[in-house]
Amino acid sequence: MTQSEIDFFDRLAPEWDASEVRSTPERVRSILDQLDIRPGMSILDLGTGTGVLIPYLSEKVGERGNITAIDLSSGMLDLAKKKFGHLKNVTFLLLDFEEEIIPGKYDIALLYSVYPHLHAPEQTLKWLFRMNLKDGGKVVIAFPSDEKFINQIHHDRASESDHLLPAQELAKEISKWGMKAEVLADDEETYIICVSMSDHS
Ligand SMILES: C[S@@+](CC[C@H](N)C(=O)[O-])C[C@H]1O[C@@H](n2cnc3c(N)ncnc32)[C@H](O)[C@@H]1O
């Protein structure tokens, strides 16, 4: 991420929770319920922002599990810590997950409302599988809306380089990179792609 992108998210942070109306508890629960998150699992929440997923993930993995919540915007991460710093199974890390090493191995790495911001998606996904995912682990790309909604927001903010493909097209692109990509949901309220290592790789 560039400094101007970090500044951009730092500026958005104080208003984020009030403006992010799509991540209702029902929608977040419905998305997470499709991911087979079990007690005892280790989860990476990449680009956690103000931690919208954290309480739900924390409850799902329980005291034997753990969440590592990562963000490069200290404005965003400080708010997440303020809200959820008391949860014993959550660790917060300020780092750029496309550039820096993340400690540990995980069952699931979540990219929730984050994928369009990646600079090098193919390399980042491959790096995550190599460095941070356990055997059989998966990366989940998810949004609480369809791609049209996301692209409209980025258009309004004049950040059209952050274009998101329709789920089926993105899954096809990821498959060409040698990973297995399955669309789990693709409607107005939910966009979920589950990425795993292809049997051939
Ligand atoms: C659109 S916000 C979504 C935040 C949160 N997941 C949510 O849905 O409320 C994207 C977040 O990803 C973070 N982010 C994007 N690229 C990142 C990177 N390479 N390393 C760490 N954080 C990143 C941004 O700082 C920002 O907080």
Side-chain angles (χ1 to χ4, degrees):
M1 237 210 245
T2 62
Q3 189 57 48
S4 72
E5 288 167 304
I6 298 171
D7 293 344
F8 171 77
F9 282 112
D10 279 344
R11 275 197 308 277
L12 279 186
E15 308 303 328
W16 186 260
D17 285 350
S19 64
E20 218 316 67
V21 290
R22 293 157 304 150
S23 290
T24 59
E26 297 71 31
R27 217 178 282 188
V28 171
R29 282 207 176 90
S30 137
I31 290 173
L32 297 182
D33 282 350
Q34 297 180 57
L35 307 183
D36 194 23
I37 299 172
R38 295 189 299 272
M41 277 187 164
S42 298
I43 311 281
L44 259 184
D45 181 13
L46 298 168
T48 189
T50 61
V52 64
L53 299 182
I54 288 177
Y56 307 95
L57 293 172
S58 170
E59 191 185 315
K60 273 187 179 291
V61 302
E63 56 189 26
R64 286 185 299 114
N66 60 79
I67 316 298
T68 298
I70 291 179
D71 210 288
L72 190 52
S73 153
S74 56
M76 290 281 195
L77 200 68
D78 285 349
L79 280 173
K81 279 188 208 163
K82 202 167 157 191
K83 290 179 343 191
F84 304 117
H86 61 284
L87 295 174
K88 292 204 167 53
N89 58 359
V90 184
T91 303
F92 298 87
L93 294 178
L94 182 71
L95 60 77
D96 184 336
F97 63 77
E98 292 203 274
E99 299 283 341
E100 294 173 78
I101 305 252
I102 304 169
K105 292 267 185 191
Y106 300 84
D107 298 288
I108 301 177
L110 286 166
L111 290 163
Y112 181 76
S113 297
V114 172
Y115 188 85
H117 304 294
L118 300 190
H119 287 256
E122 177 179 356
Q123 288 77 2
T124 298
L125 290 180
K126 288 180 173 167
W127 184 245
L128 285 170
F129 279 110
R130 188 159 149 213
M131 301 300 288
N132 295 113
L133 283 154
K134 296 179 185 173
D135 283 351
K138 58 194 179 191
V139 176
V140 173
I141 298 165
F143 300 86
S145 67
D146 60 14
E147 77 284 356
K148 295 185 199 84
F149 189 94
I150 300 293
N151 291 331
Q152 186 59 47
I153 295 177
H154 292 157
H155 177 265
D156 294 347
R157 288 186 190 143
S159 50
E160 286 183 75
S161 60
D162 297 339
H163 186 79
L164 178 65
L165 290 173
Q168 295 294 350
E169 282 180 39
L170 181 55
K172 209 180 273 178
E173 181 164 293
I174 293 171
S175 306
K176 285 192 199 139
W177 300 338
M179 290 163 267
K180 211 156 111 185
E182 186 188 355
V183 177
L184 300 186
D186 181 15
D187 57 46
E188 271 183 25
E189 301 204 335
T190 352
Y191 177 121
I192 310 176
I193 300 177
C194 178
V195 184
S196 51
M197 281 318 281
S198 145
D199 303 332
H200 314 295
S201 48

